[in-house]
């Protein structure tokens, strides 16, 4: 079960399928709500109340179209309730009808397999470029990737945008932010200026601006890790 409070969810370039339940005093799941969350470039504050549980499926960047809605339509946005249910396969009904956690988990796993098996046409070069930018923490140039993959840069940028929902520039910026957050949380011994360069920023001021954009805080006053992820069902 969740702990009452407002939770800050940080952008990471992924799309999510989330189902929220209320838990009745006798432990039954009630009032299900399904949501499809698009890739974001800004932090989102999610109010979570006691006696709520969340179950979710996360899609790595570039594969969110399996959810049945163009990623560009949901950039920094979401579908809720009937709007979300309308684009999902029929198997979502078994999740929403579940009254016990074990039943809901089993139904959610089956739904994940069905959604992941959808044959969505995705450009191989774009998926390769997305993976390279992801793994490099946003420090790989799209222009260089276009040359390596022998795809016109404008075409590659369009294909990446279609696959993620964010522009390649936004996606790379989010990946830099995420990687630099990990550097800071790992207790790196360098100064903030040195960590900024290692993170792929031009200088410390650049890093601070990007942290404010993507997290709403500066590198020096970032919140504890427990406040930056949406609590899931136990």
């Amino acid at each position: 079960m969740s702990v009452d409070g407002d939770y800050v969810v940080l952008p990471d370039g992924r799309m999510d399928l989330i189902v929220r339940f209320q838990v009745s005093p006798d432990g039954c799941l009630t009032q299900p709500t399904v949501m499809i969350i698009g890739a974001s470039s800004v932090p989102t504050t999610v109010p979570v109340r006691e006696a709520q549980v969340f179950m979710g499926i996360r899609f790595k960047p570039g594969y969110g179209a399996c959810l049945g809605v163009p990623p560009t339509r949901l950039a920094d946005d979401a579908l809720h309730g009937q709007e979300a249910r309308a684009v999902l396969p029929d198997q979502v009904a078994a999740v929403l009808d579940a009254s016990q956690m074990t039943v809901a988990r089993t139904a959610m796993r089956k739904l994940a397999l069905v959604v992941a098996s959808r044959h969505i046409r995705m450009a191989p070069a774009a998926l390769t470029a997305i993976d390279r930018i992801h793994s490099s923490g946003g420090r790989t140039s799209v222009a260089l990737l276009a040359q390596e993959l022998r795809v016109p840069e404008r075409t590659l940028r369009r294909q990446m945008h279609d696959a993620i929902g964010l522009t390649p520039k936004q996606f790379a910026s989010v990946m830099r932010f995420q990687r630099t957050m990990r550097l800071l949380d790992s207790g790196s011994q360098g100064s903030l200026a040195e960590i900024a360069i290692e993170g792929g920023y031009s200088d410390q001021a650049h890093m601070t601006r990007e942290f404010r954009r993507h997290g709403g805080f500066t590198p020096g006053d970032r919140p504890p890790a427990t406040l930056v992820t949406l609590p899931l069902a136990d």
Side-chain angles (χ1 to χ4, degrees):
M1 274 199 232
S2 55
V3 177
D4 191 78
D6 292 339
Y7 288 75
V8 178
V9 181
L10 299 181
D12 63 3
R14 298 174 184 266
M15 290 183 66
D16 302 309
L17 168 59
I18 296 175
V19 180
R20 181 185 65 211
F21 296 95
Q22 293 291 131
V23 182
S24 65
D26 61 359
C28 290
L29 303 180
T30 64
Q31 302 177 43
T33 300
V34 61
M35 298 166 275
I36 297 176
I37 314 296
S40 63
S41 61
V42 295
T44 303
T45 300
V46 178
V48 179
R49 299 299 170 249
E50 193 174 354
Q52 287 182 340
V53 294
F54 295 76
M55 304 185 74
I57 307 169
R58 310 215 68 207
F59 289 79
K60 65 183 292 188
Y63 292 85
C66 293
L67 285 164
V69 57
T72 50
R73 178 183 167 193
L74 289 186
D76 290 319
D77 204 352
L79 295 181
H80 298 268
Q82 288 301 322
E83 279 191 311
R85 186 167 182 171
V87 301
L88 291 169
D90 293 340
Q91 286 80 0
V92 71
V95 180
L96 301 178
D97 291 342
S99 61
Q100 300 297 323
M101 183 61 70
T102 54
V103 176
R105 283 197 184 110
T106 299
M108 197 72 163
R109 291 190 185 102
K110 291 180 179 178
L111 175 61
L113 292 174
V114 172
V115 171
S117 68
R118 281 176 162 177
H119 297 292
I120 305 298
R121 188 173 182 179
M122 294 177 282
L127 294 179
T128 298
I130 291 167
D131 187 61
R132 292 275 296 278
I133 291 174
H134 191 182
S135 61
S136 73
R139 296 176 299 166
T140 300
S141 163
V142 175
L144 290 177
L145 286 171
Q147 290 179 10
E148 292 179 20
L149 297 170
R150 298 183 179 181
V151 177
E153 183 179 346
R154 181 176 295 181
T155 299
L156 184 60
R157 288 183 180 277
R158 175 179 53 77
Q159 291 174 344
M160 292 175 65
H161 185 204
D162 289 345
I164 304 169
L166 304 177
T167 67
K169 182 178 180 180
Q170 288 176 314
F171 178 62
S173 183
V174 167
M175 293 300 99
R176 280 195 301 274
F177 168 70
Q178 284 285 342
R179 180 175 180 274
T180 308
M181 280 280 291
R182 291 194 293 274
L183 287 174
L184 291 165
D185 290 339
S186 69
S188 178
Q189 297 303 308
S191 66
L192 284 178
E194 291 169 334
I195 291 173
I197 298 303
E198 171 61 23
Y201 299 101
S202 58
D203 53 30
Q204 185 177 336
H206 181 202
M207 176 175 70
T208 298
R209 288 195 302 273
E210 293 298 286
F211 266 59
R212 285 199 176 106
R213 176 178 295 116
H214 299 309
F217 48 78
T218 67
D221 67 357
R222 63 193 186 283
T226 53
L227 298 181
V228 298
T229 53
L230 184 67
L232 301 181
D234 54 23

